[in-house]
Amino acid sequence: MFYADSSGRILYNMNPRAATRKISVHNTPYFQEGMEWHTFTTGVRLIGDRNIRSIIFSAPVTKENGRFDGILAGIVLVNDIRHIVGDFAYGKTGTVFLVDKTSAVLSASSRTFPASLNNTELFQDALKRKKRTEPYINANGVESIGQYTWTNGDEWVLISEVSTAEIEQPFRDTLFFMSIILLVIFVISYFLYAG
């Protein structure tokens, strides 16, 4: 978290190693939006000397008289979002993606994931706000069932999917088990009738 005053100078930063007094964020989109009294969330940005993938959230700060007094902003590392997104994953094949409006994958519950979901039917349905109930082929070429929800003021879409094979497996297991039971009953009946 950091605080930038009304001129855009960072006066306080929770990261003690940051050289905050030399930094101005006046020309950044999140500061400009704050001056217009809007909250703002950036896309994925590379920050620091190591170009760490991050997202910045910001909100305007007001003085007691109601005038603009700067912004309060937080930086979240994309890797940290992956751990949060991962909590929503279901089963062995379940995957959750956080995707922006351009189809770029910001984060996912799995360690490896495609850079974009643009060519998937579920993402195209999300852009059209169309509900999907039938299976589709996901970005990895696997038949899946999924749902989506828009978040962050319709800037991001959260997509959750699981393979149809995993969903159908309990039904197959039950069917197999019932077949065995029926076979045993048939064999017992045969021997009882034959005897």
Side-chain angles (χ1 to χ4, degrees), residues 39-42 55 57 98 106 150-157:
T39 59
F40 190 76
T41 304
T42 68
I55 295 171
F57 301 84
L98 185 62
L106 304 177
W150 285 94
T151 185
N152 186 34
D154 286 356
E155 290 293 317
W156 298 342
V157 61

Side-chain angles (χ1 to χ4, degrees), residues 6 15 18 20 23 28-29 40 48 63 66 70 84 86 101 108 110 131 135 150 154 160 166 169 178 181 190 194:
S6 58
N15 180 357
T20 57
I23 297 174
T28 62
F40 190 76
K63 295 180 180 179
I84 296 167
K101 289 191 295 191
S110 57
K131 292 297 178 189
W150 285 94
D154 286 356
S160 177
E166 181 172 354
Q169 190 60 49
M178 292 299 292
I181 291 174
Y190 176 76

Side-chain angles (χ1 to χ4, degrees), residues 21-36:
R21 297 197 185 275
K22 299 176 183 177
I23 297 174
S24 173
V25 294
H26 185 271
N27 293 326
T28 62
Y30 54 89
F31 186 81
Q32 295 297 315
E33 288 292 320
M35 290 176 64
E36 298 294 324

Side-chain angles (χ1 to χ4, degrees), residues 61-83:
V61 176
T62 60
K63 295 180 180 179
E64 289 180 7
N65 61 8
R67 293 189 177 192
F68 178 70
D69 195 34
I71 63 163
L72 185 63
I75 300 172
V76 178
L77 304 183
V78 170
N79 282 342
D80 292 340
I81 294 175
R82 183 172 60 80
H83 296 300

Side-chain angles (χ1 to χ4, degrees), residues 9 14 19-21 28 33-34 40-41 61 63 102 119 123 127 131 134 159 170 189 191:
R9 289 180 304 135
M14 290 182 68
T20 57
R21 297 197 185 275
T28 62
E33 288 292 320
F40 190 76
T41 304
V61 176
K63 295 180 180 179
T102 70
N119 294 328
F123 180 75
L127 289 178
K131 292 297 178 189
E134 65 274 8
I159 291 177
S189 298
F191 283 111

Side-chain angles (χ1 to χ4, degrees), residues 1 5 11 14-15 28-29 33 39-40 44 51 58 63 71 83 90 103 118 120 135 142-143 147 158 161 170 194:
M1 295 283 293
D5 68 11
L11 299 182
M14 290 182 68
N15 180 357
T28 62
E33 288 292 320
T39 59
F40 190 76
V44 175
N51 287 330
S58 67
K63 295 180 180 179
I71 63 163
H83 296 300
Y90 166 80
S103 81
N118 189 49
T120 64
V142 177
E143 185 178 85
Q147 291 296 320
L158 198 61
E161 62 185 23

